[in-house]
Amino acid sequence: MIDVKELLNELDERMEMSVLHLEEKLSRIRAGRANVHILDSVRIDYYGQMSPLQVAASLTTPDARTIAIKPFDKSMFKEIERAIINSDVGIMPENNGEIIRVNIPPLTEERRKQLTKQCSGEAEETKIAIRNIRREGVDKLKKAVKDGLSEDLGKDGEADLQKLHDKHIKGVDELLEKKNKEIMTV
């Protein structure tokens, strides 16, 4: 027999993971401000192993439009520059021998609208994933009722599952609103 509380906890955790995944994806979208997470996808050849940029250098944002990269080892300057140029970030780094600077250009109005559409698409994918998790949970509860779980427990479980769904969808909407506000702020 199925334990309704255990099922709800498992489904809640999966929904939460979907929201966290969205949060990570949104943090990588450039919003016109310097954010070190923009470079999270950059991988460098660090002593024979492909590693994230953060392993080989410290990343800071000295101002709203600049990311400063200070390699721990001076021999890594060229490798870091090459990795940033070859990445999908689309920004040219500047090297002065001490530090690598990545200047974030201001976004045009058209680009801001494209980014908000991209964010909305990511949020919609997350909402679909949450709805699929809810549907899967409802199916498991209905099957459990057929296998002997009381109908009251099944209905209560469905109601609790709907509450979880609504809570996570609201979280997605809040994340999207926050990111869109960040993008549209000049």
Side-chain angles (χ1 to χ4, degrees):
M1 178 120 16
I2 191 171
D3 182 9
V4 176
K5 247 186 180 152
E6 196 175 296
L7 175 66
L8 289 175
N9 285 338
E10 175 195 325
L11 295 172
D12 183 34
E13 190 175 309
R14 287 177 53 200
M15 288 179 186
E16 184 64 34
M17 293 302 289
S18 294
V19 173
L20 289 173
H21 182 71
L22 172 67
E23 193 171 359
E24 180 185 326
K25 277 186 159 183
L26 291 180
S27 74
R28 291 185 181 167
I29 295 177
R30 210 163 40 106
R33 273 197 190 86
N35 180 350
V36 295
H37 293 294
I38 293 170
L39 300 174
D40 280 353
S41 63
V42 176
R43 299 275 183 252
I44 60 166
D45 185 3
Y46 191 58
Y47 298 111
Q49 191 166 358
M50 294 307 283
S51 304
L53 183 57
Q54 293 82 341
V55 171
S58 68
L59 285 80
T60 57
T61 53
D63 60 55
R65 297 252 182 247
T66 309
I67 299 174
I69 305 164
K70 186 162 176 63
F72 301 130
D73 181 357
K74 296 236 186 237
S75 66
M76 296 305 296
F77 271 99
K78 288 206 183 312
E79 186 63 40
I80 291 172
E81 274 189 304
R82 188 176 325 117
I84 293 170
I85 290 168
N86 293 336
S87 73
D88 60 354
V89 176
I91 301 171
M92 282 299 282
E94 298 171 10
N95 176 357
N96 68 4
E98 289 290 315
I99 204 163
I100 298 171
R101 292 190 190 286
V102 178
N103 291 317
I104 309 297
L107 297 173
T108 63
E109 187 66 25
E110 184 180 323
R111 182 67 178 139
R112 288 177 195 278
K113 288 178 182 173
Q114 285 176 342
L115 289 174
T116 56
K117 282 182 184 175
Q118 181 183 350
C119 291
S120 297
E122 298 288 353
E124 190 56 39
E125 283 180 26
T126 302
K127 287 180 180 181
I128 290 169
I130 291 171
R131 287 185 202 115
N132 287 340
I133 293 168
R134 179 191 59 188
R135 188 184 66 237
E136 184 182 313
V138 168
D139 290 347
K140 284 183 180 179
L141 285 170
K142 285 181 179 177
K143 185 178 184 301
V145 167
K146 283 183 183 176
D147 293 344
L149 183 71
S150 77
E151 276 191 41
D152 287 344
L153 282 175
K155 291 290 181 195
D156 290 346
E158 282 186 41
D160 291 343
L161 182 56
Q162 184 62 42
K163 287 177 189 170
L164 286 175
H165 166 270
D166 295 344
K167 177 182 90 172
H168 290 293
I169 291 291
K170 185 178 179 207
V172 167
D173 289 336
E174 288 170 358
L175 277 173
L176 178 62
E177 184 181 327
K178 181 179 162 191
K179 186 63 178 186
N180 283 341
K181 187 177 179 183
E182 183 183 327
I183 289 171
M184 294 311 276
T185 303
V186 178

